[in-house]
Amino acid sequence: EIVLTQSPDTLSLSPGERATLSCRASQSLSGSYLAWYQQKPGQAPRLLTYGASNRATGIPDRFSGSGSGTDFTLTISRLEPEDFAVYYCQQYGSSPRTFGQGTKVEIK
Amino acid sequence: QVQLQESGPGLVKPSQTLSLTCTVSGGSISSGGYYWSWIRQHPGKGLEWIGYIYYSGSTYYNPSLKSRVTISVDTSKNQISLKLSSVTAADTAVYYCARAGATSGSYRYWGQGTLVTVSS
């Protein structure tokens, strides 16, 4: 099983600032099969990016994913008020699929 | 627009079997090309992948739950089902169904989730 470790656990930032979230895999992800999700309280996760760097339909371009191998990053270029939420990475290169433990982006 | 809707009892007694159904609208399960999954989230915690099923019936379960999980598909009703046996309080969670593409294993479509509490 591939373990995904996200850092930091919590990120305290102000609107307009840049957010950089990290996801590290215990093994190299073939094909960069990594996705990022946003989850707000009481809601299902929302797909942001897939294939490490492809934005999902309807996702603003302030969200960008990057990385390969074992190290991946989600960057939010300028935080909007609606971006304060919990973010999860997920690998789908092997089964079982696994998720990171999440990074909470909170208002400073 | 594909929509997924989970349904089932919100309260299950310990040692019994949890049974949930996910009804899919806006697309046919039998058209193929997608993996239909169950994912759960313990209160205040992260996401745990339970398993998936393809329309043909082939499945893969998380080894941590494999001995207790069954996922099935009913193409005539356009539904997938989850059964989890011998539940304990540790199985209390919000259960989601979600769809992943066969070539892209990311989950674009999710149900709204249903909370199942295990308690006597």
Side-chain angles (χ1 to χ4, degrees), chain B residues 6-90:
Chain B
E6 303 91 348
S7 59
L11 181 64
V12 180
K13 292 183 180 343
S15 79
Q16 293 189 341
T17 295
L18 178 160
S19 295
L20 296 175
T21 297
C22 174
T23 300
V24 179
S25 58
S28 172
I29 291 176
S30 59
S31 65
Y34 302 104
Y35 289 92
W36 304 88
S37 297
W38 287 96
I39 295 162
R40 70 181 182 178
Q41 187 168 35
H42 295 103
K45 302 296 184 183
L47 300 161
E48 180 181 23
W49 187 82
I50 298 172
Y52 66 57
I53 189 166
Y54 196 55
Y55 80 101
S56 60
S58 62
T59 56
Y60 187 100
Y61 302 137
N62 192 323
S64 66
L65 297 168
K66 185 177 181 178
S67 63
R68 300 193 292 130
V69 171
T70 302
I71 297 175
S72 58
V73 61
D74 186 335
T75 54
S76 67
K77 295 182 179 179
N78 223 33
Q79 293 176 335
I80 62 168
S81 296
L82 169 70
K83 291 188 184 301
L84 182 65
S85 64
S86 304
V87 297
T88 70

Side-chain angles (χ1 to χ4, degrees), chain A residues 3-6 23 87-91 98-102, chain B residues 46-47:
Chain A
V3 177
L4 299 179
T5 303
Q6 293 184 238
C23 177
Y87 293 83
Y88 295 95
C89 58
Q90 176 233 338
Q91 67 81 21
T98 49
F99 292 87
Q101 83 281 10
Chain B
L47 300 161

Side-chain angles (χ1 to χ4, degrees), chain A residues 1-6 23-35 68-72 89-101, chain B residues 47-49 60-64:
Chain A
E1 173 176 320
I2 295 178
V3 177
L4 299 179
T5 303
Q6 293 184 238
C23 177
R24 176 163 290 179
S26 60
Q27 304 171 38
S28 181
L29 299 186
S30 60
S32 295
Y33 290 140
L34 185 108
S68 63
T70 60
D71 291 298
F72 299 86
C89 58
Q90 176 233 338
Q91 67 81 21
Y92 49 96
S94 69
S95 292
R97 310 312 196 207
T98 49
F99 292 87
Q101 83 281 10
Chain B
L47 300 161
E48 180 181 23
W49 187 82
Y60 187 100
Y61 302 137
N62 192 323
S64 66

